[in-house]
Amino acid sequence: MAEGRNRARIQRFGSHLSGMIMPNIGAFIAWGLITALFIPAGWLPYEPLAALVGPMIIYLLPLLIGFTGGRLVYDFRGGVLGATATMGVIVGSDIPMFLGAMIMGPLAGYLMKKIDQLFLDKIRAGFEMLYNTFSAGILGATLAGIAVLGIGPIVNSLVNSLANGVEFTVNNGLLPLASIVIEPAKILFLNNAINHGFLSPLGVEQAATAGKSILFLLETNPGPGLGILLAFTVFGKGISKSSAPGAIIIQFLGGIHEIYFPFVLMKPLLVLAVIGGGMSGVFTFVLLDAGLVATPAPGSIFALLALTPQGNYVGVVLGVAVAAAVSFTIASIILKTTKDVEEDLTVATGKMEEMKGKKSSASEFLTPGAATTSDGDVLHEAGAVTSTPGVKATEDVRRVVFACDAGMGSSAMGASILKNKFKKENIDIPVTNTAISQLPEDADIVVTHKDLTPRAKEKLPQAEHISVENFMNSPEYDKLTQRLKK
Amino acid sequence: MAKAVLDRENIKLNVSIATMEEGIRFTGGILVANGYVDAGYIDKMLEREEMASTFMGNSLAIPHGTEDAKANVLQTGISVVTVPEGVDFGGGNIAKILIGIAGKNNEHLDILSNIAIVCSDEENIEKILNARTEEEIMDLFSDVG
């Protein structure tokens, strides 16, 4: 429980970080392109345009992050304060202040919000404008001042020690070990926290001086995921085998890595394959001194190649290929030697969604695939043959009832959605909703929120009970629809 | 003249909300301001939330009054509030779309079912959150109005 809460907290933190970075990726790429083209080591060295590189990374990018961070907390007013306060850390430091911006932006927005809450309703009519401009002005000036003197230097030394740590691992050839952390963390959806919160800010600094950084390749390498999906394409069974090739297109070409996470969660041992792939990929990058000019987002092979500087193509391509090959080999061995019953991909997808805390856009691709294969028949047979208490055979289902506490809100919504799904598949079984206390005797299947299922079971023990956690979009709805389809 | 169930005025986009209570008061406040319910309805909404969460999944919460709040409802109406940063609706459930509901004579069941079908589609959730104008929301819920 505590572990889950911590994970949720870290994920929220990660999504907050990526919420500050993602909207500004366009500016990062613009900077990356200018850098790749016009710096002395670039494709078309041209000093007048290379002059953009410094000011953009020192001022533009941190200010954008600070603004976005403040705006996340307190709209435009927060954004303006965030950017103003970020200016303080920029001036108070001699390195690009990404981390500083990520701290000052939201902090400034938060303080403005608090101050407004304190004073806003005490302002006399007619003075709002005066209050609004001057409160923001005073706070902005104060924060910027504090940041120059205090926070800038602190963050500066923090970033320096992080950078030294990274430099140490790079210089001692230890960088491949980073994959031991990065690959499993990706699958727990900490990818954005690691990539945008840590690796890309440090990478940008390296790229500013060296024109490229290997750090951009650590998390974004699509090779390990590709290896997993290839292994499933060749050695997988059933649904996972049939959906893997499509997933490759989405993952490798589209750069949406999360599509392969369910495949790994389905067989957790496969995490060894992604770690192995990641490590060998990084090792290859190190060996061939490969790097990128900016963070490829998303981690598609096209994005990687577009941001590869001159003379690094061999290293980048080989690193991706080696990672895929190693990951494929290990995954194939695991898939061939473990004989246990393969967990249903839809179950694993559900598990992934639980971990992520929301429905994944990628899983929409996975679940319909699950629904159209032989899966429905297998379930149907199981229901008919065993007739275990709990699961009703299709022909025995004459009425489905949604139940909630009062029978007014959530059950009505759930019932509408299922009714709609049944209608689309021409399933002629009535779906109604009610309060648990009024569950009708002749209900064959009762759907309730998982917290209420015990009560519903007590009320109607002979019925089949289905628990859902998400009334709007439960995977159970599609499973039931497939099962009852003639 | 009866007002439309969902009016342009009932929609507020990109609102920043800190707490669940603030969210319920805001959604209910729209219904009060536009004459669908009297001010007592908001207290009933808070009371209802105490009994059981109105968080529905898919980032959607549908705050509404208790059974005995019917007396506070002047006419059926819904308000739509988008909170792109999300607000915790208890138990780590983050709601980004708040739909305040006031129903009279079970008229609200039709509305609910429309909302449910629209919001069960993840794509529509995205569309709602990305809406720039009230009209876009009106179009998405067109069967409701």
Side-chain angles (χ1 to χ4, degrees):
Chain A
M1 214 33 213
E3 189 192 321
R5 214 174 306 134
N6 277 336
R7 191 174 52 214
R9 210 171 289 156
I10 295 171
Q11 272 166 4
R12 208 170 309 153
F13 179 65
S15 72
H16 209 81
L17 289 182
S18 64
M20 288 190 250
I21 305 287
M22 289 310 286
N24 299 313
I25 285 286
F28 275 85
I29 291 183
W31 175 83
L33 291 175
I34 291 171
T35 309
L37 289 173
F38 303 122
I39 61 168
W43 291 88
L44 306 161
Y46 186 52
E47 208 173 321
L49 290 182
L52 280 166
V53 171
M56 276 178 88
I57 192 174
I58 300 280
Y59 298 106
L60 174 70
L61 299 179
L63 286 174
L64 281 173
I65 292 172
F67 178 84
T68 314
R71 196 185 159 205
L72 275 177
V73 177
Y74 195 46
D75 222 328
F76 259 83
R77 197 162 155 78
V80 170
L81 264 288
T84 311
T86 300
M87 198 62 206
V89 280
I90 292 173
V91 172
S93 150
D94 51 11
I95 52 170
M97 265 293 120
F98 292 95
L99 271 179
M102 285 187 219
I103 296 168
M104 289 313 287
L107 178 72
Y110 176 78
L111 290 176
M112 192 69 256
K113 187 177 179 175
K114 282 290 149 195
I115 290 178
D116 278 356
Q117 278 171 1
L118 221 62
F119 292 113
L120 209 50
D121 51 354
K122 298 188 184 69
I123 304 302
R124 264 194 292 161
F127 286 84
E128 293 93 347
M129 185 89 107
L130 194 68
Y131 165 79
N132 278 341
T133 47
F134 271 85
S135 60
I138 294 167
L139 179 66
T142 313
L143 285 176
I146 294 174
V148 174
L149 301 175
I151 299 171
I154 296 173
V155 178
N156 203 356
S157 64
L158 186 76
V159 171
N160 276 336
S161 61
L162 281 178
N164 286 341
V166 173
E167 211 179 308
F168 178 82
T169 34
V170 174
N171 289 344
N172 291 279
L174 298 174
L175 204 53
L177 295 180
S179 298
I180 295 177
V181 179
I182 292 174
E183 297 299 334
K186 271 177 88 167
I187 290 160
L188 299 173
F189 288 95
L190 302 175
N191 43 348
N192 285 334
I194 292 180
N195 194 31
H196 296 307
F198 181 65
L199 293 174
S200 36
L202 292 174
V204 167
E205 275 190 67
Q206 289 193 350
T209 48
K212 64 173 180 181
S213 169
I214 189 174
L215 300 178
F216 295 131
L217 283 164
L218 298 189
E219 191 269 342
T220 56
N221 184 355
L226 174 66
I228 293 279
L229 293 172
L230 282 173
F232 271 97
T233 306
V234 181
F235 299 110
K237 296 184 197 78
I239 306 150
S240 56
K241 186 184 174 78
S242 60
S243 54
I248 290 177
I249 295 174
I250 295 173
Q251 188 259 349
F252 193 66
L253 304 182
I256 312 294
H257 288 210
E258 65 177 37
I259 193 95
Y260 79 77
F261 301 168
F263 288 85
V264 178
L265 290 168
M266 196 158 62
K267 245 189 218 307
L269 205 56
L270 287 174
V271 80
L272 294 176
V274 279
I275 290 176
M279 285 176 76
S280 52
V282 177
F283 185 71
T284 312
F285 294 140
V286 172
L287 212 62
L288 300 175
D289 191 29
L292 298 184
V293 293
T295 299
S300 147
I301 187 68
F302 297 131
L304 257 70
L305 292 178
L307 296 171
T308 302
Q310 220 173 359
N312 281 236
Y313 283 105
V314 176
V316 169
V317 171
L318 262 183
V320 173
V322 167
V326 171
S327 163
F328 171 77
T329 310
I330 301 176
S332 304
I333 294 169
I334 292 171
L335 284 180
K336 281 180 85 175
T337 51
T338 49
K339 283 257 154 56
D340 55 349
V341 186
E342 202 172 307
E343 212 181 322
D344 189 350
L345 189 61
T346 43
V347 176
T349 307
K351 215 190 257 177
M352 170 184 90
E353 285 172 12
E354 258 170 50
M355 258 182 222
K356 194 175 179 186
K358 65 173 190 188
K359 195 171 188 305
S360 154
S361 54
S363 64
E364 256 166 51
F365 167 80
L366 295 171
T367 30
T372 46
T373 57
S374 60
D375 189 44
D377 293 328
V378 174
L379 266 167
H380 180 168
E381 258 172 49
V385 175
T386 58
S387 75
T388 43
V391 181
K392 297 258 178 184
T394 306
E395 56 272 24
D396 287 341
V397 178
R398 282 173 300 268
R399 185 170 180 191
V400 179
V401 178
F402 272 72
C404 65
D405 202 52
M408 290 182 60
S410 44
S411 66
M413 298 184 89
S416 311
I417 293 165
L418 190 64
K419 212 185 280 177
N420 199 33
K421 286 189 190 286
F422 276 15
K423 207 169 98 191
K424 279 189 194 148
E425 297 291 353
N426 291 320
I427 299 171
D428 193 18
I429 300 172
V431 181
T432 53
N433 71 293
T434 173
I436 288 190
S437 58
Q438 285 157 17
L439 268 172
E441 287 294 324
D442 61 348
D444 299 301
I445 295 181
V446 178
V447 187
T448 41
H449 187 266
K450 70 174 185 4
D451 296 343
L452 297 175
T453 305
R455 258 174 68 197
K457 273 186 179 158
E458 203 178 297
K459 174 84 183 151
L460 217 60
Q462 74 278 17
E464 178 188 345
H465 289 266
I466 294 177
S467 292
V468 295
E469 263 192 75
N470 179 341
F471 267 114
M472 300 305 301
N473 205 338
S474 173
E476 296 296 332
Y477 296 168
D478 285 325
K479 274 191 219 161
L480 189 61
T481 311
Q482 289 304 317
R483 196 180 114 192
L484 297 178
K485 202 165 75 175
K486 300 246 158 57
Chain B
M1 199 185 78
K3 295 182 77 140
V5 171
L6 175 61
D7 198 337
R8 199 175 178 282
E9 295 172 359
N10 301 5
I11 301 170
K12 295 275 184 275
L13 299 179
N14 301 318
V15 179
S16 166
I17 281 172
T19 64
M20 179 170 77
E21 186 183 332
E22 195 187 310
I24 294 171
R25 288 193 184 279
F26 190 85
T27 0
I30 297 174
L31 296 172
V32 176
N34 296 340
Y36 295 98
V37 297
D38 67 34
Y41 190 73
I42 295 182
D43 290 331
K44 297 289 184 186
M45 291 171 88
L46 292 167
E47 205 179 303
R48 169 64 182 77
E49 202 67 41
E50 287 285 316
M51 284 160 50
S53 170
T54 58
F55 184 79
M56 303 298 303
N58 271 19
S59 308
L60 171 70
I62 47 155
H64 57 270
T66 55
E67 179 87 304
D68 62 14
K70 291 263 158 87
N72 302 82
V73 181
L74 308 172
Q75 71 172 93
T76 298
I78 69 172
S79 58
V80 180
V81 178
T82 66
V83 190
E85 312 153 37
V87 49
D88 193 339
F89 249 65
N93 292 321
I94 303 298
K96 294 186 176 171
I97 301 171
L98 311 182
I99 298 187
I101 298 171
K104 215 171 166 61
N105 310 328
N106 281 344
E107 280 170 354
H108 74 292
L109 287 179
D110 285 343
I111 310 170
L112 268 182
S113 122
N114 266 321
I115 295 171
I117 290 169
V118 172
C119 293
S120 67
D121 188 346
E122 195 89 2
E123 273 181 26
N124 287 334
I125 300 277
E126 285 303 318
K127 280 188 201 151
I128 294 172
L129 286 174
N130 290 330
R132 287 169 187 277
T133 63
E134 287 80 352
E135 274 72 18
E136 286 174 49
I137 304 274
M138 299 280 285
D139 286 344
L140 277 164
F141 285 119
S142 57
D143 291 344
V144 180

